[in-house]
């Protein structure tokens, strides 16, 4: 009885395996009859040449956060033209630096802008390190400006009008010390003006400190919204432009 039971189970099983093998052989035969050997060779070579690293880099480029060396290279700053144009430096932090930079790009008299990291305790920090909140830096915008065209006090007015200075260590949905409000002065005159302007804003928690080392951010962060971000929809940086600033990734 036991032998008969085993035989009754094994026969259907063997038959099923044979049927599957026959079907597989048929599918392979059909596939090979429609695909030439050169095509198969080309497919294999593409598979071999596509590494996980290249795939990740490709995705990064599409998202505007490429890990290539050219994208990670820090921007060159400050501009050498400062020596001949008679400009001065100003540095502000007001949340995500993309939107802050575009706001100042539009101000007549602001000559050049650069986003970066300031007031931290780690040399040459990366964006990822700064976002961790462990380096002490804040996202900031440093600019050169012509004091004959725009005063530091007027830049402070633009600064306060462009964010909520009563929020501590955050701006909207961006939370962390890297998003704190700050004015980092380069001269005693700037310090005096910054303190006066803060006193005119009720509830302002803006920190006012002497500017520490400013570390330019990676190239892909520079003029990010003007260039269009990862969606390729650039926003105007024309002087005097009043279009609403849309901050996106």
């Amino acid at each position: 009885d036991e032998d008969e039971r085993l035989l009754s189970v094994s026969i259907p099983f063997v038959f099923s395996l044979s049927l599957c093998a026959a079907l597989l052989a048929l599918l392979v035969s059909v596939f090979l009859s429609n695909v030439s050997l050169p095509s198969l060779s080309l497919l294999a070579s593409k598979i071999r040449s596509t590494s996980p690293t290249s795939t990740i880099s490709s995705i990064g480029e599409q998202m505007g956060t490429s890990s290539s060396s050219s994208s990670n290279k820090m921007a060159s700053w400050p501009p050498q033209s400062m020596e001949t144009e008679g400009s001065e430096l100003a540095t502000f932090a007001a949340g995500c630096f993309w939107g802050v930079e575009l706001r100042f790009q539009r101000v007549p008299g602001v000559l050049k802008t650069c986003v970066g990291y300031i007031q931290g305790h780690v040399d040459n920090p990366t964006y990822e390190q700064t976002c961790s909140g462990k380096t002490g830096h804040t996202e900031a915008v440093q600019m050169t400006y012509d004091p004959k065209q725009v005063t530091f006090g007027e830049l402070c007015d633009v600064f306060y009008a462009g964010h909520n200075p009563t929020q501590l260590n955050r701006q909207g949905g961006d939370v962390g010390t890297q998003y704190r409000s700050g004015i980092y002065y380069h001269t005693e005159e700037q310090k005096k003006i910054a303190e006066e302007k803060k006193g005119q804003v009720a509830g302002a928690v803006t920190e006012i400190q002497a500017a520490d080392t400013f570390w330019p951010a990676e190239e892909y962060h520079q003029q990010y919204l003007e260039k269009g971000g990862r969606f390729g929809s650039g926003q105007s940086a024309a002087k005097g432009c009043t279009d609403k600033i849309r901050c996106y990734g």
Side-chain angles (χ1 to χ4, degrees):
D1 292 340
E2 182 65 20
D3 291 340
E4 291 180 357
R5 188 183 68 80
L6 291 175
L7 185 61
S8 64
V9 172
S10 61
I11 290 176
F13 178 72
V14 172
F15 177 77
S16 298
L17 286 179
S18 300
L19 181 61
C20 289
L23 288 174
L24 180 60
L26 178 61
L27 290 173
V28 171
S29 176
V30 172
F31 177 74
L32 291 177
S33 66
N34 287 280
V35 180
S36 64
L37 288 177
S39 298
L40 289 175
S41 299
L42 178 60
L43 177 61
S45 65
K46 287 185 176 181
I47 293 174
R48 287 194 300 269
S49 64
T50 304
S51 65
T53 302
S54 64
T55 301
I56 293 172
S57 298
S58 176
I59 294 173
E61 289 169 2
Q62 294 177 30
M63 294 181 66
T65 57
S66 173
S67 59
S68 66
S69 59
S70 61
S71 294
N72 284 340
K73 180 182 178 182
M74 299 299 176
S76 177
W77 188 264
Q80 295 180 348
S81 57
M82 281 192 68
E83 299 177 2
T84 58
E85 64 191 9
S87 60
E88 297 181 9
L89 282 176
T91 308
F92 299 93
C96 175
F97 50 24
W98 293 339
V100 181
E101 180 180 37
L102 183 59
R103 188 175 300 278
F104 281 109
Q105 282 180 275
R106 294 174 171 180
V107 176
V110 171
L111 305 177
K112 293 181 176 65
T113 60
C114 180
V115 298
Y117 320 112
I118 199 169
Q119 305 306 106
H121 51 76
V122 174
D123 287 352
N124 206 26
T126 65
Y127 179 70
E128 290 73 18
Q129 288 175 321
T130 300
C131 285
S132 74
K134 297 179 181 179
T135 69
H137 293 88
T138 183
E139 292 189 15
V141 178
Q142 192 167 93
M143 65 204 71
T144 61
Y145 69 98
D146 182 352
K148 295 179 181 179
Q149 298 184 55
V150 61
T151 67
F152 183 73
E154 290 171 331
L155 293 178
C156 288
D157 291 339
V158 172
F159 164 76
Y160 278 115
H163 78 299
N164 185 347
T166 68
Q167 293 185 326
L168 181 64
N169 296 330
R170 68 176 298 168
Q171 277 301 302
D174 294 328
V175 180
T177 56
Q178 69 270 28
Y179 298 116
R180 63 188 183 269
S181 174
I183 301 176
Y184 307 106
Y185 58 85
H186 297 268
T187 65
E188 287 301 310
E189 180 65 18
Q190 284 189 355
K191 177 183 178 181
K192 177 182 177 182
I193 295 172
E195 291 175 339
E196 290 176 352
K197 291 293 183 178
K198 179 180 178 180
Q200 297 170 9
V201 181
V205 294
T206 303
E207 66 178 17
I208 298 175
Q209 299 176 353
D212 202 344
T213 302
F214 177 79
W215 301 97
E218 296 81 349
E219 284 283 1
Y220 66 82
H221 285 299
Q222 306 301 330
Q223 296 80 52
Y224 189 79
L225 295 184
E226 180 187 8
K227 292 185 292 190
R230 66 177 179 180
F231 298 116
S233 179
Q235 299 179 52
S236 175
K239 299 302 182 185
C241 178
T242 57
D243 293 349
K244 182 178 179 179
I245 294 176
R246 308 179 309 280
C247 194
Y248 45 74

